[in-house]
Amino acid sequence: GRITGSETFAIHFSSFPSIHSIMATTLRPYLNAVRQSVTAALCLQNFASQIVERHNKPEVEAKTSKELLLNPVVISRTPKERVLLEGSVNSLRISIKVKQINDIEEILSKRFMRFMAQRAENFVILRRKPVSGYDISFLITNFHTETMFKHKLVDFIIQFMEDVDKEISEIALAVNARARVTAQEFLKQFV
């Protein structure tokens, strides 16, 4: 039927059988889809509040006028790894759900995102509190696109996604290796 403004569009790469085998081996197509979507959504302009004079709040968070909001887009690599793009006339909120296969990765991800949120003032576009159901959120406003290069903002988001995925995987491997060595040393006393 007809698409209304309240619907959320979702791209599930795992539902395409020809792409599924490629997606299992690499992160690149997923990141390319995120890059293209973020680049397309970054056409932001200065737009003052229609309700309060001399106010300019990010409409994606204020949600004062439905006509200023774009349809949210979900780009999903797997059900546990996805990106939510919420756009408006003057702002774009990017929420990321990081891959968490097991309990160790869940704990590491939670700790890492908490560490990042505590330093949100150092990252101009990072939100302290993520959108519900996601691990971390970024907010890009028209003021950011006026003072920073758009392609550099997109590069930062993509690099962040690559690095977080890599770091959590490496730390999980290191934790497992340490646990294995500790268990071997502990069990030597029984042999």
Side-chain angles (χ1 to χ4, degrees):
R2 196 150 199 262
I3 298 172
T4 62
S6 62
E7 291 182 28
T8 301
F9 294 101
I11 302 171
H12 292 282
F13 287 111
S14 58
S15 64
F16 300 115
S18 61
I19 296 177
H20 185 59
S21 60
I22 297 169
M23 292 304 295
T25 59
T26 181
L27 188 65
R28 190 60 44 205
Y30 171 64
L31 293 176
N32 285 341
V34 172
R35 177 184 296 278
Q36 291 173 357
S37 300
V38 169
T39 302
L42 270 181
C43 11
L44 307 175
Q45 63 184 9
N46 194 0
F47 194 86
S49 174
Q50 293 179 325
I51 298 170
V52 181
E53 194 173 323
R54 294 183 167 204
H55 276 243
N56 191 336
K57 303 256 188 222
E59 284 295 326
V60 76
E61 297 208 339
K63 295 186 180 180
T64 55
S65 304
K66 284 187 178 181
E67 66 271 8
L68 302 177
L69 299 174
L70 301 173
N71 290 329
V73 176
V74 176
I75 303 170
S76 176
R77 183 173 180 210
T78 65
K80 294 184 178 187
E81 186 176 14
R82 61 189 185 274
V83 174
L84 171 66
L85 302 175
E86 298 171 287
S88 71
V89 68
N90 67 351
S91 55
L92 172 68
R93 184 168 49 197
I94 304 161
S95 301
I96 302 169
K97 177 74 173 159
V98 178
K99 175 183 69 173
Q100 300 165 10
I101 296 174
N102 54 31
D103 292 341
I104 291 173
E105 286 188 1
E106 277 184 41
I107 293 167
L108 292 173
S109 174
K110 188 175 180 182
R111 295 281 178 163
F112 186 73
M113 296 309 166
R114 199 170 113 213
F115 174 84
M116 294 293 293
Q118 289 173 343
R119 288 147 184 82
E121 64 274 354
N122 296 336
F123 300 95
V124 179
I125 60 172
L126 182 64
R127 304 289 297 145
R128 282 198 183 277
K129 188 167 170 131
V131 172
S132 178
Y134 290 85
D135 297 317
I136 196 160
S137 292
F138 297 95
L139 178 69
I140 301 173
T141 66
N142 63 297
F143 299 115
H144 296 131
T145 58
E146 290 169 5
T147 59
M148 302 177 203
F149 293 116
K150 288 181 185 179
H151 68 281
K152 292 289 185 184
L153 286 169
V154 175
D155 289 345
F156 172 76
I157 298 292
I158 300 303
Q159 189 66 46
F160 177 83
M161 290 175 67
E162 286 176 343
D163 291 348
V164 163
D165 190 59
K166 186 174 65 172
E167 285 293 321
I168 290 175
S169 296
E170 287 175 4
I171 294 171
L173 287 173
V175 166
N176 286 336
R178 273 176 91 179
R180 188 177 305 110
V181 169
T182 305
Q184 286 173 348
E185 289 298 317
F186 178 73
L187 293 174
K188 278 183 184 177
Q189 65 185 339
F190 299 112
V191 176

